[in-house]
Amino acid sequence: MLSTEAALDDYSFEITARDLPALASTADRFPAGTRVNVTYLGTEDAADRLAAARAVADHGLTPVPHISARRLLSEADLTSFLDGLAAQGTHRRVFAVGGDPAQPHGPYSEAAQVIASGHLAAAGVREVGIGGYPEGHPDIDDAALWDALTLKTRLIAEQGMNAAIATQFSFDTDAVLTWIRRVRDAGVDAPIRVGVPGPAGVKRLLGFARRCGVASSATLARKYGFSLGNLLGTAGPDAFIEDLAAGIDHGVHGEVRLHFFTFGGLDATASWLERRPVAA
């Protein structure tokens, strides 16, 4: 069992380039060095993402820029972005994802191909984040997900880098704990950051859940802390985190931390975290 306070130690969170004004007003409310994933949106270009990674670092936080395989136009597009990160010193940690487009925009159709290219290691990347899906993926079958997870962790290790896993969010702690145990049984010992929505409107949460294939039955909603009959309400992750912490056994589940999706905004997440006790 892990205490709720310990579960909140060394958390990470996620932003997009358009969140920079909000980051400027909230950055000092997060512990120095907190990891901040900078997502790879199709509506933002490489310059936007580079600027966001630099801003995260300038605020004393640790940037983890996303690289979306299917959105890369070419090999040169990948190396140019990595060169840009290296030039500003924000290249040590990246997060490799497949990305949303149904058809790749260039030569890479999945994150494993980006990792296998060798360009991340050559650019001086030390840690590669990869995705985890406790409830599966709406467009990828379960067997392929597991094959990809083990392949990516192997490729990362073979190139002398460290792997880190961040999961899709879930309302179901049982599904998350079962999935983590299966990851460990598969011989993958990379640290896992469990995706958790920060405080947000119920309607907004359910919208993201539908898009991401996250189960949201009435039973799971009540367990998480909201009602499907009150879409105008808000929900926080209190019950989920307490339940998750109670189920964690480090001997079984290994290193587990939290990763916040700031669906309700950075200010709401920062305010929620400030009200929670954090392990010393």
Side-chain angles (χ1 to χ4, degrees):
M1 177 176 175
L2 182 69
S3 71
T4 304
E5 292 82 1
L8 287 166
D9 184 40
D10 189 28
Y11 60 81
S12 56
F13 65 93
E14 197 151 306
I15 67 167
T16 71
R18 66 184 175 213
D19 291 318
L20 290 190
L23 181 67
S25 63
T26 58
D28 61 356
R29 299 165 66 184
F30 300 104
T34 297
R35 297 184 188 209
V36 182
N37 284 30
V38 180
T39 59
Y40 199 113
L41 295 183
T43 54
E44 298 168 351
D45 61 21
D48 293 328
R49 290 185 286 275
L50 288 171
R54 181 62 192 177
V56 170
D58 287 346
H59 286 300
L61 307 173
T62 301
V64 185
H66 282 210
I67 297 174
S68 175
R70 288 172 173 254
R71 292 192 184 278
L72 292 168
L73 301 177
S74 64
E75 184 177 24
D77 195 20
L78 170 61
T79 57
S80 175
F81 184 61
L82 290 169
D83 288 346
L85 291 175
Q88 61 186 25
T90 58
H91 62 295
R92 300 301 184 191
R93 296 177 175 87
V94 300
F95 196 91
V97 297
D100 297 328
Q103 295 297 323
H105 294 173
Y108 306 109
S109 62
E110 57 188 50
Q113 293 171 332
V114 172
I115 298 166
S117 73
H119 291 307
L120 304 186
V125 173
R126 295 177 180 173
E127 179 184 284
V128 182
I130 56 177
Y133 301 90
E135 297 185 34
H137 190 289
D139 300 319
I140 306 172
D141 68 62
D142 201 48
L145 283 175
W146 284 103
D147 287 345
L149 181 69
T150 55
L151 172 61
K152 287 182 285 191
T153 54
R154 178 174 61 79
L155 289 170
I156 291 166
E158 288 175 350
Q159 296 177 68
M161 299 180 290
N162 297 316
I165 300 169
T167 77
Q168 180 56 271
F169 75 94
S170 174
F171 300 134
D172 187 353
T173 52
D174 292 335
V176 171
L177 290 167
T178 298
W179 180 86
I180 295 173
R181 183 162 192 158
R182 187 176 173 187
V183 171
R184 301 313 185 200
D185 288 344
V188 176
D189 61 1
I192 294 174
R193 292 180 177 270
V194 175
V196 182
V202 170
K203 186 175 182 180
R204 187 172 180 81
L205 280 178
L206 292 175
F208 278 104
R210 283 191 294 271
R211 286 164 50 187
C212 300
V214 173
S216 55
S217 68
T219 299
L220 287 176
R222 285 194 300 271
K223 183 178 179 182
Y224 189 82
F226 65 89
S227 168
L228 294 182
N230 182 16
L231 299 186
L232 298 180
T234 60
D238 303 70
F240 178 91
I241 292 174
E242 289 169 6
D243 198 31
L244 180 73
I248 290 291
D249 177 346
H250 282 306
V252 173
H253 300 102
E255 183 179 339
V256 179
R257 294 289 185 267
L258 299 177
H259 178 72
F260 288 93
F261 293 95
T262 56
F263 298 146
L266 277 176
D267 181 71
T269 298
S271 296
W272 183 89
L273 286 164
E274 286 171 338
R275 294 194 297 270
R276 303 294 301 188
V278 178

